[in-house]
Amino acid sequence: MDIKELKSKKLYKEYSLEIPFDDIDKEINQKIQNIIPNVSIAGFRKGKAPLSIVKKKYEDSILNEVIQNVVNTKTSDLIKEKKFNLFRQPKVDLKQFEKNKPAKIEIRIDLQPEIKLQDFKTIKLNQYEINLSKKNLDDQYKNFIESQKNFKTITTNRLIKKGDKVFIDFKTDDTNIPEYLKSQNNIPIDTGIDQEILPGINKGLISKFKIGDDKKVNIDLSTILKNKDLKKISYSVKVISIEEKTKFEINDEYLKKNGFKNEDELRNFLKNNSNQQYIQGIKQIEKKQLMDLLNKQYDFDLPEGVLEDDFKEIWSRLENAKKNDNLDEDDKSLSDDQLKKRYKKISERRVKLGALLQYIAKEEKILISEEELSQGIMQYAGQYPGQEKQIMDYLKQNPSSVESIRGPLLEQKIIDRIISKASITKKSINDEQYKKLELETFDIKRDSV
């Protein structure tokens, strides 16, 4: 086997391997020998056909498997020979294969960085407890009341007002429009919200339509359908009925219907919900603060190949966001060079923390048990009520997708292990302090400095 080193960095290697066809042919012959006892070929008793005849018939069907086995073996031999400590599985690319000619492959290898774990007791963390102010709770209760919408059908034949709920039929004869936007009947439109099934339909209805009106309205679909030729699509719109918003009041009927004995129970329910939301936010803040500390505390070489792949993935997402005019507001004012500088820093942080957590898991012998994974899968499926069976079936059919569940579970278990050994200071904060803390913690500018 001919081996050539193409690239050599501290934690990244690239090799070109040339595998003689004789090695592949030997593997083919061995595979054929294994299947001969079960092969029936006309003119020969079962299992008695000569190797050359069986080979001629079955060689093509086993070739891909054989090549993969040979490539894996040669890659493994190279790693053992060089005594490499891998960070991740090597990336192998079959560059050339022709029968009776050497096969050529290229291998990309990322090596494990040298990390020296520090005592987790030296890590000082804050653990937050939220105490919501009376004003915050009162405002949330008021917002809840205002968010509840009661409507009643109007009795006067007036024009549509902002805030009305309108039931309409719409239709277009344009053949370039997808079926779900071509026509719908008796569909409710809440003119008091920005979310619209047809962009600009609220503006087209308010102060222009009454019950029974059937008129043409031009709708701009170019943005949602990503087609600049769809800026002026003519729709036929008919108003079926109009309902106006009525004042919502908490009464015995509402409380009983929703399982509350009195208004205080409703207030406590909303308070507990709000607390839970803040607690989830606090967990994310505490996790981010821990990651910030680890990022500052550790300094080691990073696998160059992993860094390159991670940044390519980030940059691809940014380019798609730019193409769809969907960049974060904080990124819109930056040039490509400034964006690259920002996100290369973020990529370095991601790779460093990923490598560190992977190493901690190994050293601390932290694993996800089958029971923990099963619970994680059930919780994940539970996020999609009514679709649990389809999700479970999909995960069974696509085992690799389970890693997207195992990964976060393992990460949280590693974080919990670190926190259990760290020095903890408990702090009580109110909602205003929470907002300030959240802004400071998740400041992207700070992360990319």
Side-chain angles (χ1 to χ4, degrees):
M1 181 172 65
D2 185 23
I3 303 173
K4 291 180 182 177
E5 189 174 70
L6 302 177
K7 282 186 184 178
S8 180
K9 296 182 180 181
K10 189 167 185 179
L11 296 176
Y12 178 73
K13 310 290 180 184
E14 273 188 27
Y15 291 92
S16 171
L17 273 62
E18 192 172 276
I19 304 171
F21 184 76
D22 285 349
D23 290 1
I24 297 171
D25 196 46
K26 190 183 296 182
E27 186 77 15
I28 292 171
N29 289 339
Q30 182 59 54
K31 189 78 175 175
I32 296 296
Q33 288 282 11
N34 291 339
I35 68 172
I36 281 178
N38 299 312
V39 169
S40 296
I41 293 180
F44 299 93
R45 283 183 296 160
K46 182 178 179 180
K48 299 300 181 180
L51 183 143
S52 58
I53 292 176
V54 178
K55 184 176 181 180
K56 185 176 181 180
K57 182 174 181 179
Y58 289 99
E59 182 175 10
D60 289 344
S61 63
I62 65 170
L63 194 54
N64 286 338
E65 181 187 350
V66 168
I67 292 171
Q68 188 63 55
N69 289 341
V70 172
V71 167
N72 289 344
T73 299
K74 298 301 181 183
T75 302
S76 179
D77 290 346
L78 173 67
I79 291 165
K80 288 177 183 176
E81 179 187 329
K82 301 292 184 181
K83 297 180 180 177
F84 286 146
N85 183 15
L86 300 183
F87 177 73
R88 63 177 179 180
Q89 285 298 312
K91 294 193 172 182
V92 182
D93 185 13
L94 181 63
K95 305 299 283 187
Q96 176 184 308
F97 176 76
E98 291 181 46
K99 197 170 180 180
N100 298 318
K101 290 185 179 180
K104 293 182 180 179
I105 63 172
E106 287 185 4
I107 306 174
R108 296 172 59 194
I109 299 172
D110 291 284
L111 304 179
Q112 175 70 44
E114 188 176 331
I115 302 173
K116 185 178 180 182
L117 281 187
Q118 300 175 32
D119 191 339
F120 295 149
K121 291 179 182 177
T122 63
I123 297 175
K124 296 181 179 180
L125 298 173
N126 292 325
Q127 203 169 71
Y128 301 98
E129 181 181 87
I130 189 75
N131 285 311
L132 298 179
S133 65
K134 184 178 183 302
K135 182 180 181 305
N136 178 282
L137 294 171
D138 288 343
D139 286 346
Q140 288 195 49
Y141 189 70
K142 182 182 175 183
N143 291 336
F144 168 76
I145 298 296
E146 290 177 351
S147 71
Q148 303 304 301
K149 293 185 178 182
N150 279 349
F151 292 91
K152 69 174 182 179
T153 303
I154 63 172
T155 55
T156 57
N157 194 16
R158 63 164 173 80
L159 291 171
I160 295 169
K161 296 178 182 179
K162 184 175 176 63
D164 285 342
K165 182 189 286 186
V166 186
F167 290 81
I168 66 169
D169 295 343
F170 67 76
K171 181 180 180 181
T172 180
D173 295 325
D174 195 310
T175 57
N176 297 310
I177 308 304
E179 287 301 321
Y180 76 98
L181 288 179
K182 264 190 180 179
S183 68
Q184 290 200 35
N185 293 325
N186 204 34
I187 185 166
I189 304 289
D190 188 339
T191 61
I193 62 176
D194 295 331
Q195 188 176 355
E196 303 170 304
I197 187 170
L198 295 175
I201 187 64
N202 288 357
K203 186 177 179 182
L205 291 170
I206 295 170
S207 301
K208 295 174 183 145
F209 278 76
K210 295 185 295 185
I211 296 172
D213 282 352
D214 192 344
K215 303 178 186 178
K216 297 289 184 183
V217 176
N218 289 325
I219 299 292
D220 183 353
L221 298 177
S222 60
T223 301
I224 65 169
L225 296 181
K226 307 292 187 291
N227 186 337
K228 62 183 180 181
D229 296 327
L230 303 179
K231 287 188 175 181
K232 198 174 181 181
I233 305 303
S234 178
Y235 276 89
S236 220
V237 177
K238 182 178 181 180
V239 175
I240 308 302
S241 64
I242 302 173
E243 296 180 359
E244 63 185 4
K245 188 177 177 182
T246 60
K247 185 178 179 181
F248 174 79
E249 292 181 352
I250 299 293
N251 53 36
D252 290 341
E253 182 185 353
Y254 174 85
L255 291 169
K256 185 176 180 181
K257 181 181 176 182
N258 290 278
F260 301 109
K261 292 179 182 177
N262 50 47
E263 194 171 344
D264 285 341
E265 271 199 4
L266 172 60
R267 283 181 176 273
N268 284 330
F269 174 79
L270 295 173
K271 178 184 176 180
N272 290 335
N273 272 359
S274 182
N275 270 324
Q276 284 303 313
Q277 290 174 15
Y278 275 103
I279 288 168
Q280 290 305 312
I282 283 171
K283 284 182 179 179
Q284 293 306 311
I285 289 171
E286 291 172 348
K287 175 182 174 181
K288 176 66 163 51
Q289 290 181 343
L290 172 59
M291 294 298 107
D292 288 345
L293 284 172
L294 293 175
N295 188 45
K296 289 178 182 177
Q297 195 174 20
Y298 285 87
D299 185 23
F300 50 85
D301 293 313
L302 303 177
E304 293 90 342
V306 178
L307 264 177
E308 182 182 340
D309 289 347
D310 187 75
F311 180 72
K312 279 181 180 177
E313 181 185 332
I314 291 175
W315 192 249
S316 175
R317 289 204 303 266
L318 283 170
E319 287 186 320
N320 284 332
K322 281 200 295 181
K323 182 180 176 182
N324 297 322
D325 194 26
N326 198 29
L327 270 180
D328 289 344
E329 287 300 320
D330 199 52
D331 289 334
K332 287 182 178 178
S333 61
L334 302 182
S335 67
D336 278 1
D337 285 343
Q338 289 170 321
L339 279 173
K340 284 181 179 178
K341 184 178 179 181
R342 167 177 284 184
Y343 283 96
K344 277 184 178 176
K345 260 302 193 192
I346 290 172
S347 179
E348 287 171 4
R349 172 192 168 94
R350 278 170 35 129
V351 172
K352 179 201 278 191
L353 292 173
L356 178 60
L357 292 182
Q358 179 177 308
Y359 187 75
I360 291 172
K362 180 182 176 184
E363 292 297 302
E364 294 280 315
K365 296 180 174 56
I366 302 172
L367 299 169
I368 296 299
S369 68
E370 287 304 313
E371 182 180 355
E372 289 169 328
L373 183 59
S374 295
Q375 289 175 352
I377 290 172
M378 293 295 288
Q379 288 174 358
Y380 175 78
Q383 296 173 23
Y384 304 89
Q387 301 178 52
E388 292 91 343
K389 186 177 185 304
Q390 294 93 315
I391 290 172
M392 297 293 283
D393 289 343
Y394 175 81
L395 292 172
K396 285 178 183 177
Q397 294 164 13
N398 299 272
S400 60
S401 299
V402 175
E403 292 308 309
S404 65
I405 297 173
R406 188 194 303 272
L409 291 174
L410 180 60
E411 181 183 88
Q412 189 57 52
K413 202 168 181 180
I414 297 165
I415 289 170
D416 290 343
R417 178 70 60 86
I418 296 170
I419 292 173
S420 70
K421 298 182 179 182
S423 175
I424 303 294
T425 300
K426 295 193 174 183
K427 286 190 175 184
S428 180
I429 57 174
N430 59 34
D431 38 284
E432 289 301 320
Q433 291 170 320
Y434 173 88
K435 289 176 188 175
K436 184 179 177 182
L437 183 63
E438 186 179 43
L439 285 173
E440 290 174 352
T441 303
F442 296 102
D443 183 1
I444 189 174
K445 292 179 182 177
R446 189 187 64 172
D447 288 341
S448 56
V449 170

